[in-house]
Amino acid sequence: MRQFAVILLVFTTLAAAAEETTDLSIVNRIKAEAFQNSQVMDHLFYLADVYGPRLTNSPGHRAAAEWVMKRLREYGLHNVKAEKWGPFGQSWKLTRFSGHMLAPQYQPLIGMPLAWTASTKGVISGEPVLAPLRNEADFGKFKGQLRDKIVLIMDAKNIEMSTEPLAHRFTDQELFTRAKAPDPARLGPTTAAARAQREAAAAFRKKRNQFLRDEGALVVLQYSSRGDGGTVFAQSGGSRDVNDPIPPPTVALTPEHYNRIARLIAHQIPVKLEFDIESEMIRDQTDSFNVVGEIPGHARKGELVMVGGHLDSWHGASGATDNGTGCAVAIEAVRIVAALHVPLDRTVRIALWGGEEQGLLGSKAYVQEHFARRDTMQLGPEYNKLSAYYNDDNGSGRFRGIGVGGNDMAKPIFEKWLTPFHDLGATAVTGETAAPTREPGGTDFTSFTWIGLPGFGFLQDPIEYDTRTHHSNMDFYDRVQPGDLMQAAAIEAWFVYNTAIRKDMMPRIPMPKAEK
Ligand SMILES: [Zn+2]
C-alpha cells in the first residue's frame, strides 16, 4: 500500500512537472514581437503625454479610456467596453497653479496643489504664518490667528543628505534575499492595526481641514513625507463626497522652499507670498468604470485569464510610471498574444482599473460583481472560471520575477515559465510563505487574493519609483526605461499565453471564510 502510494506520488509529481512544458518557438515569436516590433512606448506616450494626468473620472481618465478602447479594438479584441461601478463620488481637476515668494526676495515656488482642495479667488497674496497642527490640541493654540493668512501646518522638515542614487536595480544578492521566506512569526494579521491607523489619520485630516476652513485660512502649505530637490509628492487633500466641505487651497511645496519660508518666519523677517490656484470639482458623473476587452478562447472559452494595471493616476504629473507603465505593458501583452494568431483554449481578458489610487475601488467592485464578496463569500458567475490574474504596478522597473502570495502550488509552474527569461533578469519566485488572504492593499491583485483567487504581481526593479515618480510631480514619460517595458511585456504575454493553454487552471489556495 505504502509502495503504491510512493509510486503514485512519483507519478503525479512527474506528471505535474511534465505538464509545464514550455514551447520555446512561442517564446521566440513573443520576443520577436516584443523587441523588434514593440509598440509599448507608443501606448505609454498616449496614456501619459496625451491624456495624463488621469485622476479617476477626470477628463484625462475618461479620454484615456476612450483611446484604450479604440486601440484594443484595432488589435482585434472583442467585448471592449467601459464597465461601470460606483458610486465613486466627485472628481477634480487642476487648471492653473503658480506660487511665488515676493518678499524678502523674489523666488518662484515649486509646489503642487492637493486633489479635492479649493481654488484661490484669483491671484491672492498674503503673509505666511507657521502653525504646526500635529494634533487636535494644537487647534486651540492658533484659533483666531489664521484668518486670511497663508498657513504652514507642519514643522520645518529635517532634510537628510542623500548618499544613494535615486534609481536602483536589484543586485543578484538582493533578489536572492527577497526570494527568501520571511520569519513566519512576522506574517500575522496586521491589517486591523494598519486600518485603524489609516482611519485615525484620515479622521484627523478631516478635522484639521474643518478647522482651517472655519478659521478662514487663505492657503494651506505643507510638504510630503517623501521627496525633495524639487520633487513634490501630492495626493488627496479633500473628499470625493459631494456633501463634505471643501478644504482651503492646499499646496505641497518642495521642502527646501517650505523650510526657507519657515526659517524666515522664525527670524521674524516679513515674508510675502502669492498664489494663483484654479481647480474644478467634477460632478457630472459620480459612477466610475474599468476598461475591459477580450481575446476569445476556444476549447475552454468559458474560462478566463486576466491581466491588467490601473488606468487612473494622481494629478501632479502624467501618471507615466503609476500606472501608465502597467497599462502600456498589459496592452502590449495582449497585442503580442493576439499577434501570435495561435488559438488559445481560455479567454484572455485585459482589465484597466479605475479608482485604484482611492483604495483599489475599481478592482474591488469588479471582483465583487464577477467573483465573490468577501463578507458573504457568495460566489459570482465567474468565480470558478478564473485561472489567474496578472498585475503590473511597480513603475518602470523590468520584471525580476513574480510573487505567488502564499500559493505554494504556483511556484514550480512559475519557475518553469521564467526559465527562458533568466537571461533577461527575471529569475525569482517570491512569497510562498505569505499571508495570502489579507485585506486588499497596495495594488489590484490583492482584490483577487482576498477572496482566494490566484492573483499575482510581478516583482520589478524599483528604479526611481519611491524616490522620484510614484505620486509625484515628476511622473513623466522620460522616467520610463523602454527596454524594461519591452522585457515586461514579453514576460507578461508569455505568462498569459501559458495560462491560456495550460491543461488545468492555475492551482488555488483554499477558499477563505466569509469575513466582514
Ligand atoms: Zn499604482
Side-chain angles (χ1 to χ4, degrees):
M1 187 64 199
R2 187 184 297 165
Q3 218 166 23
F4 175 72
V6 168
I7 290 164
L8 190 69
L9 183 71
V10 168
F11 178 75
T12 48
T13 310
L14 283 174
E19 192 195 7
E20 304 313 318
T21 50
T22 48
D23 184 343
L24 295 179
S25 73
I26 294 287
V27 172
N28 186 267
R29 290 182 59 197
I30 286 174
K31 284 187 186 171
E33 195 60 43
F35 304 159
Q36 287 151 43
N37 193 25
S38 177
Q39 297 181 28
V40 73
M41 293 305 283
D42 188 63
H43 310 323
L44 186 75
F45 161 75
Y46 281 97
L47 293 171
D49 282 345
V50 180
Y51 299 115
R54 304 175 305 276
L55 192 72
T56 301
N57 276 15
S58 66
H61 180 219
R62 294 184 207 176
E66 291 299 328
W67 174 83
V68 170
M69 289 192 280
K70 186 169 147 276
R71 183 147 283 197
L72 293 179
R73 288 189 188 108
E74 282 165 11
Y75 293 150
L77 270 73
H78 292 231
N79 301 325
V80 175
K81 60 187 174 187
E83 195 171 310
K84 206 157 103 168
W85 58 267
F88 172 75
Q90 62 192 348
S91 187
W92 181 90
K93 74 169 180 179
L94 182 67
T95 49
R96 178 176 293 272
F97 170 75
S98 74
H100 312 266
M101 184 165 79
L102 304 179
Q105 306 295 334
Y106 176 75
Q107 184 203 314
L109 297 174
I110 296 174
M112 182 59 61
L114 302 193
W116 287 284
T117 64
S119 305
T120 55
K121 294 190 175 75
V123 180
I124 58 97
S125 61
E127 182 198 339
V129 294
L130 192 57
L133 302 174
R134 304 173 199 98
N135 48 51
E136 284 180 59
D138 288 336
F139 296 170
K141 291 186 208 164
F142 300 103
K143 203 164 166 44
Q145 298 169 40
L146 306 181
R147 184 154 301 277
D148 294 330
K149 295 285 199 289
I150 295 167
V151 186
L152 283 72
I153 59 169
M154 293 174 165
D155 293 297
K157 186 175 190 176
N158 179 31
I159 302 174
E160 286 179 27
M161 179 179 75
S162 98
T163 54
E164 300 291 328
L166 290 182
H168 182 67
R169 290 194 189 278
F170 289 132
T171 61
D172 288 343
Q173 184 57 43
E174 285 170 325
L175 209 56
F176 179 75
T177 307
R178 283 184 78 102
K180 289 276 171 217
D183 178 351
R186 294 169 60 192
L187 292 171
T190 56
T191 49
R195 192 202 305 157
Q197 216 170 36
R198 271 200 313 275
E199 284 171 1
F204 172 67
R205 271 199 307 275
K206 203 165 170 172
K207 284 182 185 155
R208 190 180 63 192
N209 283 346
Q210 188 64 50
F211 172 75
L212 290 161
R213 192 180 141 99
D214 293 345
E215 292 296 303
L218 202 55
V219 172
V220 176
L221 299 182
Q222 58 175 75
Y223 50 80
S224 47
S225 55
R226 294 178 293 142
D228 56 31
T231 298
V232 175
F233 293 77
Q235 299 172 229
S236 176
S239 170
R240 308 191 310 273
D241 187 334
V242 293
N243 299 310
D244 279 348
I246 301 171
T250 307
V251 180
L253 291 182
T254 189
E256 295 88 343
H257 293 181
Y258 187 97
N259 285 359
R260 182 181 184 188
I261 299 164
R263 278 190 300 272
L264 289 165
I265 297 169
H267 284 77
Q268 293 167 337
I269 293 167
V271 181
K272 192 174 176 193
L273 305 179
E274 180 188 282
F275 286 96
D276 184 7
I277 305 168
E278 194 180 275
S279 63
E280 196 185 310
M281 294 288 176
I282 301 165
R283 293 174 170 158
D284 63 327
Q285 184 185 305
T286 51
D287 280 335
S288 192
F289 58 86
N290 302 312
V291 174
V292 294
E294 292 180 345
I295 304 171
H298 291 87
R300 300 166 211 271
K301 61 171 178 277
E303 293 177 3
L304 287 172
V305 184
M306 291 188 68
V307 61
H310 65 90
L311 189 57
D312 68 301
S313 76
W314 282 108
H315 59 286
S318 66
T321 71
D322 189 13
N323 184 222
T325 47
C327 293
V329 165
I331 294 168
E332 181 72 350
V334 294
R335 182 191 74 77
I336 293 167
V337 170
L340 294 174
H341 298 293
V342 175
L344 304 173
D345 292 337
R346 299 186 176 83
T347 294
V348 172
R349 184 183 294 165
I350 182 174
L352 303 183
W353 315 110
E356 192 272 353
E357 297 294 5
Q358 289 73 41
L360 320 182
L361 301 178
S363 60
K364 279 199 231 170
Y366 189 89
V367 159
Q368 284 201 9
E369 180 84 15
H370 290 255
F371 304 123
R373 301 178 58 95
R374 180 63 195 259
D375 56 356
T376 58
M377 281 313 290
Q378 199 166 25
L379 301 189
E382 292 181 327
Y383 189 84
N384 292 315
K385 306 276 188 189
L386 180 75
S387 181
Y389 169 65
Y390 299 104
N391 195 72
D392 165 353
D393 185 19
N394 283 300
S396 168
R398 61 160 62 180
F399 288 0
R400 304 302 304 275
I402 188 164
V404 293
N407 185 336
D408 295 84
M409 300 76 76
K411 188 184 183 194
I413 301 169
F414 288 160
E415 280 179 339
K416 185 87 196 242
W417 293 356
L418 283 177
T419 310
F421 288 93
H422 282 188
D423 61 353
L424 283 158
T427 55
V429 178
T430 67
E432 304 86 81
T433 307
T437 60
R438 287 189 182 192
E439 193 171 336
T443 184
D444 294 296
F445 74 86
T446 61
S447 299
F448 290 74
T449 53
W450 176 229
I451 54 164
L453 291 176
F456 304 104
F458 289 98
L459 173 67
Q460 296 175 249
D461 276 334
I463 314 294
E464 305 163 305
Y465 198 55
D466 283 335
T467 52
R468 179 135 67 178
T469 64
H470 160 242
H471 303 182
S472 80
N473 63 341
M474 279 296 144
D475 193 4
F476 288 109
Y477 180 98
D478 305 85
R479 307 256 62 98
V480 175
Q481 303 304 312
D484 288 12
L485 264 56
M486 290 158 75
Q487 183 256 23
I491 294 172
E492 200 169 74
W494 172 236
F495 272 58
V496 165
Y497 170 81
N498 282 324
T499 311
I501 57 133
R502 191 172 187 270
K503 184 168 144 287
D504 296 317
M505 297 215 299
M506 289 297 285
R508 293 186 179 188
I509 55 168
M511 190 191 295
K513 289 192 188 71
E515 191 177 277
K516 294 267 181 253

